[in-house]
Amino acid sequence: MSQSTLTIKDLHVAIDGKEILKGVNLEIKGGEFHAIMGPNGTGKSTLSSAIMGHPKYEVTQGTITLDGEDVLEMEVDERARAGLFLAMQYPSEITGVTNAEFLRSAVNARREEGDEISLMKFIRQMDGNMDLLEMDQDMAQRYLNEGFSGGEKKRNEILQLMTIEPKIAILDEIDSGLDIDALKVVSKGINKMRGEDFGCLMITHYQRLLNYITPDHVHVMMQGKIVKSGGAELAERLEAEGYDWIKQELGIEDETVQ
Amino acid sequence: MTETKWSVDESLIRDFSTANNEPEWLLNVRLDAFKKAEDLPLPKPDKTKIDKWNFTEFGAHNVQSAPFNALSALPEAAQAVIGEENDTQNVYVQRNNTPSILKLSDELKEAGVIFTDFATAAKEHSDLFQKYFMQQVVKADEHKLTALHAALVNGGIFLYVPKNVEIKEPVQAVFIHDDAQAALFNHVIVAAEANSSVTYVENYISTVKTEQGVANIVTEVIAGDNAQISYGAVDTLTENVTTYVNRRGITAPNARIEWSLGIMNDGNTVSENVTNLIGDGSYADTKMVVVGRGKQSMNFTTKVVHFGKHTEGYILKHGVMKDEAKSIFNGIGKIEHGASKSNAEQESRVLMLSEKARGDANPILLIDEDDVTAGHAASVGRVDPLQLYYLMSRGISQQEAERLVIHGFLAPVVNKLPIENVKKQLTGVIERKVRQ
Ligand SMILES: Nc1ncnc2c1ncn2[C@@H]1O[C@H](COP(=O)(O)OP(=O)(O)OP(=O)(O)O)[C@@H](O)[C@H]1O
Ligand SMILES: [Mg+2]
């Protein structure tokens, strides 16, 4: 495998006719860890949903490409098989479908018919990942996310990440709702993915995630745009001082999407 | 019945009866029912108009099919439900209208169990059979379709379990439809005497397509004192067969009837499933799963009527409608005056997968007694697009995502089915029906 590049240019996105993203530019390469921070309601989840192809979000302008391929032309499942992954802020619950059954379908979706992963091999791999994430073995046989606590859902998203091994992953508030031990465990899982073949975009409100997973680039989002970018030190300053200084610097009064 | 070209007449019925050496009482039942059929109205399943449905036009009343000479000669779909041949198996295979294979273990024969095809039962167990055939459970003159059934019955089986006999292994009947001309008027009687128990599983398998066909199926289940009957059915009849299927049971005191029904026909279907809880302390449980696809229309009435005191009735039905399929789920819990301390519970859920699919659930409780408990839950909804999005965001195709959601929706019923064989079969049948 080789290094992948996700390129977002001048992205405008609307939902129910209301424009939320107003020209986002961003490039994520294999090997890089990016963080996006920003106050509530500024368009962070909208960006991640638009990349993955959420049915409610309409791209009105701009492009998204993965290694030169037009992502916007692809269906959601094609985007995933092309190498994109989104750990969702609010994962769906699906009754009657066990976690293991779901994970195995996801793995097999990437393999040819007739070349499905053997049950033994799959279980070994899943058990290994669940151990690393300190998940109870019975979570494999429970229905997908049904009745999972907030923290369990987040771990389960990372279990999927580790199983699927995408080229570029977007993690939308993977740290929210996690206790301190769980945050360490989840970070361990994400760090295990590190490598030239894996690029990552983390959306977070807190520096504490970034203490465990050091980002190469930090971006700040306001009013549906990336208004400032820097290195890991930018996140530390935001943690210490909040967003006011940026707003002042840029002359922004209301940071939310208008 | 007003169509002049209709090929069925009294002489056809007489000839058929003679050819099968039927006792006179049966011929009389047929002729009487045939006369009544003319004037009797069609049944009126709630919210489905069936007066334009074809219940009378079919290729032939009686087709002769070469019998299969061994289980291994059966079509694959039939072999899959029966499993490997062995000595303790109790299996009946009917090919269209022709009894084809019958296996009953020596042990059960010695215990006095009767398991035989319709014609043989009428001939060789005439008195016993007459006691049950459309006498106590389903009556010929209820409506046009029961009358036509009585007049034209041309297959089915009789299973009789004597007092105190407990049958461990399921008894199976497989009805194979592989002649486009065939019409299926099958009658099934399962009678279990006091303190006996039995599990019976039947399959309808079409391996042929037809221009127009008819299945008119009546089952009568009679559970004696403290008897236990577990009745499973997986119906997979083909597209242009119009099915009327009536599966009904009655209970003596402390008897139990459990129904596990998978109705997966591809054609228009009216299904009635009724349990009359006559005896005190008796119990009925119906679990049903349904998948509709194409343009088919289906109506399911599931009803438990409480006559005895301390009776319990449970209904749990889940259905998935794809494409332009339509279905009505009527659930009726009826507690008669005097049936004190009874409990009637029901739950119906319908999931629609497409814009054009239609589903409707009507839970009805009719209660004529104060000292009872009852409850119902019903829901009809479309598949959540966010669930599909979530699954697809992991690389799973839309079709596979829908398959997972459908399985998931039906799983709470399938997983609770008391008959292992039916559970296993349904998983496969649902798979096939969903995939195409
Ligand atoms: N269905 C919708 N209809 C109208 N507005 C919407 C809809 N969905 C999202 N929005 C709006 O879009 C804006 C951006 O939302 P988004 O979820 O992207 O914010 P966010 O930056 O992820 O916030 P948070 O930090 O709270 O998760 C918000 O003002 C939100 O109310
Ligand atoms: Mg968000």
Side-chain angles (χ1 to χ4, degrees):
Chain A
M1 255 212 270
S2 59
Q3 230 180 14
S4 287
T5 308
L6 178 71
T7 310
I8 298 160
K9 284 194 184 141
D10 190 32
L11 189 70
H12 291 246
V13 173
I15 178 159
D16 295 335
K18 181 185 174 199
E19 186 168 67
I20 309 283
L21 294 191
K22 300 175 175 174
V24 174
N25 292 289
L26 188 62
E27 185 169 85
I28 302 163
K29 288 203 171 78
E32 296 177 351
F33 272 62
H34 293 243
I36 291 190
M37 305 182 79
N40 295 127
T42 50
K44 303 181 298 298
S45 292
T46 303
L47 174 63
S48 62
S49 298
I51 296 171
M52 204 67 233
H54 187 297
K56 284 204 91 168
Y57 294 77
E58 187 198 350
V59 174
T60 52
Q61 194 180 317
T63 57
I64 305 177
T65 57
L66 179 64
D67 300 327
E69 300 278 334
D70 185 356
V71 169
L72 297 176
E73 279 295 304
M74 301 179 197
E75 297 293 331
V76 176
D77 56 321
E78 293 170 325
R79 295 180 193 203
R81 292 196 300 274
L84 296 178
F85 180 91
L86 168 60
M88 299 194 191
Q89 189 172 0
Y90 305 108
S92 290
E93 301 189 1
I94 298 174
T95 196
V97 177
T98 66
N99 216 3
E101 193 180 352
F102 158 67
L103 274 175
R104 198 145 71 98
S105 293
V107 171
N108 284 332
R110 290 166 173 77
R111 301 166 70 110
E112 293 296 316
E113 216 174 308
D115 183 39
E116 285 86 2
I117 188 167
S118 82
L119 192 57
M120 286 298 289
K121 188 172 170 200
F122 170 75
I123 290 175
R124 220 179 310 124
Q125 193 189 346
M126 185 179 61
D127 284 355
N129 289 334
M130 288 180 79
D131 275 351
L132 186 134
L133 293 171
E134 298 176 18
M135 291 171 75
D136 230 10
Q137 292 295 335
D138 73 345
M139 301 286 277
Q141 291 314 318
R142 280 179 55 186
Y143 292 155
L144 179 53
N145 291 328
E146 194 179 74
F148 285 26
S149 74
E152 286 167 344
K153 281 184 182 160
K154 298 293 177 176
R155 277 184 216 228
N156 206 36
E157 293 291 287
I158 298 306
L159 175 63
Q160 294 167 42
L161 172 76
M162 296 178 74
T163 309
I164 291 171
E165 299 184 325
K167 293 177 184 160
I168 305 282
I170 304 152
L171 313 177
D172 194 354
E173 296 200 20
I174 198 67
D175 51 343
S176 74
L178 291 183
D179 64 46
I180 296 170
D181 292 335
L183 183 65
K184 280 187 201 162
V185 167
V186 161
S187 303
K188 187 167 68 173
I190 298 166
N191 278 321
K192 193 150 180 282
M193 300 290 298
R194 266 191 198 273
E196 286 299 286
D197 298 334
F198 180 69
C200 188
L201 174 65
M202 297 174 286
I203 295 170
T204 181
H205 288 294
Y206 305 105
Q207 169 63 28
R208 46 171 216 175
L209 173 70
L210 306 179
N211 289 339
Y212 295 104
I213 311 170
T214 313
D216 307 297
H217 305 275
V218 174
H219 312 277
V220 178
M221 197 150 186
M222 286 185 188
Q223 296 178 326
K225 282 185 193 166
I226 289 175
V227 294
K228 195 168 185 66
S229 296
E233 74 291 341
L234 176 56
E236 281 160 27
R237 184 160 176 205
L238 291 174
E239 175 84 358
E241 301 178 28
Y243 291 104
D244 279 350
W245 63 276
I246 298 187
K247 283 161 66 178
Q248 268 167 21
E249 203 176 287
L250 299 173
I252 294 171
E253 285 192 358
D254 181 356
E255 72 280 10
T256 58
V257 179
Q258 295 306 306
Chain B
M1 295 278 311
T2 48
E3 302 89 344
T4 46
K5 63 179 185 300
W6 203 39
S7 56
V8 176
D9 58 15
E10 206 180 290
S11 71
L12 176 138
I13 292 172
R14 282 184 190 280
D15 292 349
F16 181 78
S17 186
T18 311
N20 285 295
N21 292 315
E22 285 182 352
E24 202 180 334
W25 67 261
L26 182 53
L27 174 64
N28 291 335
V29 169
R30 287 179 183 280
L31 293 176
D32 184 47
F34 189 63
K35 261 198 219 95
K36 286 180 176 153
E38 204 162 347
D39 297 325
L40 283 168
L42 283 170
K44 290 194 179 50
D46 210 17
K47 296 195 176 173
T48 305
K49 238 171 105 71
I50 62 168
D51 48 345
K52 296 271 165 22
W53 290 20
N54 169 41
F55 293 106
T56 52
E57 296 296 320
F58 45 80
H61 173 249
N62 186 29
V63 299
Q64 296 293 328
S65 309
F68 299 103
N69 44 29
L71 291 181
S72 58
L74 298 179
E76 217 175 291
Q79 286 192 44
V81 306
I82 296 174
E84 291 284 299
E85 180 143 22
N86 66 59
D87 291 342
T88 56
Q89 236 159 13
N90 305 298
V91 182
Y92 171 64
V93 179
Q94 180 176 309
R95 184 175 194 179
N96 304 304
N97 312 123
T98 310
S100 189
I101 291 174
L102 182 75
K103 295 181 64 175
L104 179 63
S105 70
D106 291 339
E107 188 192 337
L108 294 189
K109 273 183 210 155
E110 278 155 28
V113 172
I114 298 171
F115 182 49
T116 190
D117 66 271
F118 181 88
T120 307
K123 207 161 50 194
E124 292 179 8
H125 305 279
S126 178
D127 292 349
L128 186 64
F129 193 69
Q130 182 178 15
K131 197 174 98 187
Y132 295 119
F133 181 69
M134 302 199 86
Q135 291 297 315
Q136 335 170 17
V137 187
V138 178
K139 303 255 172 48
D141 60 6
E142 289 180 17
H143 49 67
K144 191 188 285 291
L145 298 181
T146 47
L148 279 177
H149 176 87
L152 299 176
V153 52
N154 59 5
I157 67 115
F158 178 43
L159 172 58
Y160 174 81
V161 187
K163 232 160 68 177
N164 302 329
V165 174
E166 295 183 22
I167 303 181
K168 298 272 173 319
E169 290 297 305
V171 177
Q172 277 187 279
V174 179
F175 298 97
I176 295 171
H177 171 233
D178 68 354
D179 184 328
Q181 297 297 308
L184 308 176
F185 286 82
N186 288 332
H187 195 91
V188 173
I189 291 173
V190 177
E193 298 278 19
N195 304 315
S196 69
S197 72
V198 63
T199 295
Y200 165 82
V201 178
E202 69 187 7
N203 283 84
Y204 278 88
I205 299 173
S206 285
T207 61
V208 72
K209 295 220 178 292
T210 178
E211 296 279 307
Q212 62 176 12
V214 169
N216 179 328
I217 299 158
V218 174
T219 282
E220 301 182 273
V221 171
I222 303 100
D225 278 29
N226 199 35
Q228 296 192 18
I229 299 176
S230 191
Y231 193 110
V234 179
D235 301 350
T236 57
L237 288 164
T238 186
E239 204 170 348
N240 295 322
V241 172
T242 308
T243 300
Y244 168 71
V245 56
N246 177 346
R247 295 183 170 108
R248 197 181 294 172
I250 55 170
T251 55
N254 302 314
R256 292 168 71 96
I257 300 179
E258 290 176 337
W259 306 94
S260 306
L261 308 175
I263 303 196
M264 303 286 163
N265 296 331
D266 280 334
N268 290 350
T269 299
V270 176
S271 163
E272 257 184 82
N273 170 237
V274 180
T275 313
N276 290 317
L277 296 172
I278 313 275
D280 290 351
S282 60
Y283 170 103
D285 179 287
T286 292
K287 293 195 173 70
M288 184 161 108
V289 291
V290 171
V291 176
R293 67 174 175 194
K295 290 182 186 303
Q296 72 180 137
S297 170
M298 299 190 277
N299 183 292
F300 304 94
T301 299
T302 314
K303 184 172 174 182
V304 178
V305 189
H306 301 249
F307 296 93
K309 297 183 202 317
H310 290 276
T311 51
E312 292 174 65
Y314 300 94
I315 298 171
L316 175 65
K317 304 191 276 194
H318 281 202
V320 172
M321 293 300 119
K322 299 194 351 164
D323 308 329
E324 297 172 41
K326 279 193 293 227
S327 76
I328 308 288
F329 284 69
N330 298 311
I332 304 167
K334 187 161 197 280
I335 303 184
E336 300 289 347
H337 185 65
S340 53
K341 307 265 188 265
S342 290
N343 182 27
E345 301 283 346
Q346 59 166 302
E347 180 181 332
S348 296
R349 307 211 178 269
V350 187
L351 177 71
M352 292 169 292
L353 280 176
S354 69
E355 279 302 312
K356 288 185 172 158
R358 292 268 174 284
D360 196 359
N362 308 307
I364 299 166
L365 289 171
L366 301 164
I367 298 177
D368 262 333
E369 171 62 48
D370 291 332
D371 185 14
V372 298
T373 52
H376 63 75
S379 66
V380 177
R382 287 189 196 282
V383 69
D384 176 1
L386 289 185
Q387 289 187 338
L388 294 180
Y389 166 64
Y390 185 67
L391 293 170
M392 288 172 72
S393 78
R394 298 327 184 215
I396 296 169
S397 67
Q398 173 154 4
Q399 198 189 21
E400 177 69 5
E402 286 183 355
R403 192 190 69 87
L404 286 170
V405 170
I406 294 172
H407 269 283
F409 184 78
L410 299 176
V413 187
V414 174
N415 292 343
K416 280 188 217 137
L417 292 176
I419 308 174
E420 208 49 45
N421 175 312
V422 173
K423 197 190 287 188
K424 229 173 42 210
Q425 276 187 44
L426 270 177
T427 309
V429 169
I430 293 168
E431 187 87 0
R432 281 194 296 279
K433 193 151 182 186
V434 167
R435 250 170 214 270
Q436 284 155 20

